[in-house]
């Protein structure tokens, strides 16, 4: 019997978009048993029309629709003001990686292989439900970083690489914004990266305030130009380490040094060296269900998987991978280096899914990695100076 002091949890509204009435009815039955209210829709036009009236917690959509294909329908949903933040999970075949690639490029948040497993469907629904119900408490401890914009490099390369290393990044557009962000989110921040290139003395003033306010939190200062001796000396004093000069560091070495200062215990996945590497990923831990996701990127040591149902950090996984252009699956073993389940949103940006440290591959996957993923970049010795292309 329900506790009289508690109100019942509202049922989640889910759109099921499929032009097969049988498929819609089967999924609707499963979702009803999970406590969801289901709106069954025959195609993309019906979905977009219904989206004008109400916003669901989740949209489940078949890729193969008669009039407008599911990937185009997904693009339309994500472009719609009401659907921009609604998770979209596509139904498609796991052994057709090009189809899953279409879904990912269209902005789909995840996919479910057909025929749909009730256990896998329940896991996706539960993940979305938890994301909606979870109060926003900020990044996991040790993962919240403030990045003070010093140019396109920081935002597009360094910020993206830090996100792919599992960090949650708060981007500040200028020095004033950085000061405001530090005040507003200080208890959720675990480190600071400031580019002093544009206004070195003003940036050092900000760094001084950050050091006084957060004396125990790591502070990293960098520049893309040659700085004056007094700037170098003050940076050394504030950080307890030399200013990082991007002009003398390769992108991979720069990221390794930033990570070493921000999070010394982190084993990097070499995200600075990631390259496009699309693959469908089915994963399971010992005794657990088989879940799914997809990866757009790989590095010499890692695979970055987009999924609403990431395994917990530290879990050991068995992987089944189907790569674009191949029908025969590959097998691998991996450890979860970081895990970010979907959240309710907020000021911090992070990658939903998980970063995997690969520990074993079958011969076919190893051959593909040798062919497509550079193995020779690595992090050069600290004493080596080389010109940066950034």
């Amino acid at each position: 019997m329900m506790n009289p002091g508690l109100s019942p949890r509202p049922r989640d509204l889910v759109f099921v978009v499929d032009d097969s009435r049988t498929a819609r009815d089967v999924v609707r039955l499963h979702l009803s048993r999970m406590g969801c209210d289901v709106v069954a829709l025959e195609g993309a036009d019906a979905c977009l029309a219904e989206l004008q009236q109400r916003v669901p917690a989740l949209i489940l959509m078949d890729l193969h629709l008669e009039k407008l294909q599911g990937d185009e329908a997904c693009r339309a949903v994500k472009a719609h003001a009401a659907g921009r933040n609604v998770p979209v999970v596509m139904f498609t075949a796991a052994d057709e990686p090009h189809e899953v690639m279409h879904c990912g490029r269209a902005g789909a948040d995840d996919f479910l292989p057909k025929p749909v497993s009730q256990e896998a469907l329940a896991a996706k629904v539960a993940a979305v439900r938890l994301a909606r119900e979870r109060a926003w408490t900020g990044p996991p401890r040790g993962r919240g970083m403030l990045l003070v914009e010093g140019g396109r490099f920081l935002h597009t390369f360094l910020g993206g690489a830090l996100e792919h290393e599992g960090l949650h990044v708060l981007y500040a557009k200028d020095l004033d914004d950085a000061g405001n962000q530090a005040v507003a989110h200080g208890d959720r921040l675990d480190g600071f990266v400031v580019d002093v290139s544009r206004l070195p003395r003003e940036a050092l003033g900000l760094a001084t305030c950050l050091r006084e306010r957060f004396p125990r939190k790591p502070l990293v200062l960098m520049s893309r130009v040659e700085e004056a001796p007094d700037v170098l000396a003050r940076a050394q004093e504030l950080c307890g380490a030399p200013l990082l000069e991007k002009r003398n560091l390769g992108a991979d070495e720069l990221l390794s040094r930033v990570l070493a200062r921000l999070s010394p215990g982190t084993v990097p996945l070499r995200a600075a060296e990631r390259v496009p590497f699309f693959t469908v990923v089915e994963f399971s831990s010992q005794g657990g269900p088989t879940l799914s996701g997809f990866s757009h990127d790989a590095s010499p040591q890692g695979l970055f998987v987009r999924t609403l149902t990431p395994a917990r950090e530290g879990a050991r996984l068995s992987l089944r991978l189907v790569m674009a252009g191949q029908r025969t699956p590959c097998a691998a073993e991996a450890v979860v280096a970081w895990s970010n389940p979907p959240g309710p949103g907020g000021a911090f940006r992070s990658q939903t899914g998980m970063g995997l440290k690969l520990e074993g591959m079958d011969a076919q996957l190893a051959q593909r990695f040798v062919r497509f993923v550079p193995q020779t970049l690595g992090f050069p010795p600290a004493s080596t100076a080389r010109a940066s292309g950034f």
Side-chain angles (χ1 to χ4, degrees):
M1 188 173 71
M2 184 179 298
N3 188 322
L6 298 177
S7 58
R9 181 183 60 81
R11 293 167 66 90
D12 295 297
L13 179 65
V14 180
F15 289 0
V16 178
V17 188
D18 199 313
D19 51 21
S20 165
R21 183 173 182 176
T22 300
R24 292 198 305 268
D25 289 345
V26 169
V27 175
R28 179 184 359 213
L29 179 61
H30 290 333
L31 291 170
S32 297
R33 289 172 176 168
M34 297 172 200
C36 298
D37 286 332
V38 182
V39 178
L41 302 163
E42 191 172 349
D45 290 342
C47 176
L48 294 171
E50 191 67 28
L51 196 58
Q52 296 277 20
Q53 307 301 318
R54 46 186 170 170
V55 180
L58 172 66
I59 296 176
L60 302 172
M61 183 181 297
D62 188 42
L63 176 63
H64 298 290
L65 301 175
E66 285 190 359
K67 292 183 180 179
L68 189 66
Q69 284 285 292
D71 57 333
E72 291 301 321
C74 178
R75 282 192 178 90
V77 167
K78 292 296 185 179
H80 195 289
R84 188 174 297 120
N85 297 317
V86 177
V88 177
V89 177
M90 306 293 291
F91 296 139
T92 188
D95 290 331
E96 298 289 348
H98 65 282
E99 292 191 351
V100 182
M101 185 186 300
H102 288 321
C103 299
R105 288 176 175 172
D109 298 274
D110 209 337
F111 87 102
L112 278 167
K114 298 166 70 174
V116 177
S117 156
Q118 185 174 351
E119 192 173 33
L121 176 61
K124 304 295 184 190
V125 171
V128 171
R129 182 173 287 163
L130 284 172
R132 285 168 58 85
E133 294 178 349
R134 189 188 301 121
W136 175 244
T137 57
R141 180 172 294 182
R143 298 289 177 87
M145 303 296 161
L146 175 64
L147 189 60
V148 183
E149 186 68 69
R152 185 182 302 175
F153 172 87
L154 273 185
H155 194 279
T156 58
F157 166 73
L158 186 57
L162 291 174
E163 288 183 34
H164 277 80
E165 293 287 358
L167 300 181
H168 295 235
V169 181
L170 180 62
Y171 293 88
K173 60 186 179 182
D174 55 38
L175 299 178
D176 290 339
D177 184 48
N180 294 334
Q181 297 274 31
V183 171
H185 303 283
D187 57 337
R188 300 174 179 177
L189 289 167
D190 302 289
F192 308 90
V193 180
V194 181
D195 189 321
V196 305
S197 304
R198 289 183 178 176
L199 300 167
R201 285 164 181 79
E202 290 84 346
L204 288 176
L206 170 67
T208 301
C209 293
L210 293 174
R211 174 54 67 226
E212 291 173 351
R213 187 178 180 90
F214 308 102
R216 299 182 178 221
K217 296 183 179 181
L219 172 65
V220 179
L221 299 180
M222 63 176 60
S223 178
R224 63 179 180 273
V225 299
E226 185 175 1
E227 297 291 353
D230 63 315
V231 172
L232 297 176
R234 183 56 177 158
Q236 173 79 41
E237 182 182 350
L238 289 168
C239 300
L243 178 89
L244 294 178
E245 297 182 80
K246 295 200 296 272
R247 63 194 179 90
N248 293 327
L249 300 172
D252 50 346
E253 185 181 6
L254 176 65
L255 177 62
S256 73
R257 294 194 183 192
V258 171
L259 280 174
R261 296 187 188 183
L262 290 177
S263 185
T266 299
V267 177
L269 294 177
R270 293 168 67 174
E273 301 168 60
R274 67 190 187 280
V275 296
F277 191 82
F278 188 88
T279 180
V280 175
V281 182
E282 293 184 297
F283 57 94
S284 61
S285 56
Q286 187 173 9
T290 297
L291 301 174
S292 59
F294 54 86
S295 171
H296 286 293
D297 303 291
S299 73
Q301 292 180 334
L303 193 66
F304 306 95
V305 180
R306 172 78 176 180
T307 177
L308 296 176
T309 52
R312 61 176 176 78
E313 188 173 321
R316 293 188 170 274
L317 302 180
S318 296
L319 309 179
R320 178 182 181 272
L321 303 100
V322 183
M323 290 170 281
Q326 285 195 319
R327 292 293 185 94
T328 306
C330 302
E333 301 294 320
V335 174
V336 181
W338 56 263
S339 176
N340 287 332
F348 290 83
R349 286 179 52 183
S350 61
Q351 299 291 315
T352 297
M354 56 186 175
L356 303 180
K357 181 175 175 55
L358 297 171
E359 296 201 332
M361 312 179 198
D362 66 12
Q364 182 183 187
L365 182 60
Q367 185 178 27
R368 299 282 283 190
F369 254 67
V370 168
R371 182 178 178 186
F372 293 108
V373 182
Q375 301 290 313
T376 57
L377 294 179
F379 300 139
S383 59
T384 302
R386 57 192 176 100
S388 172
F390 293 85

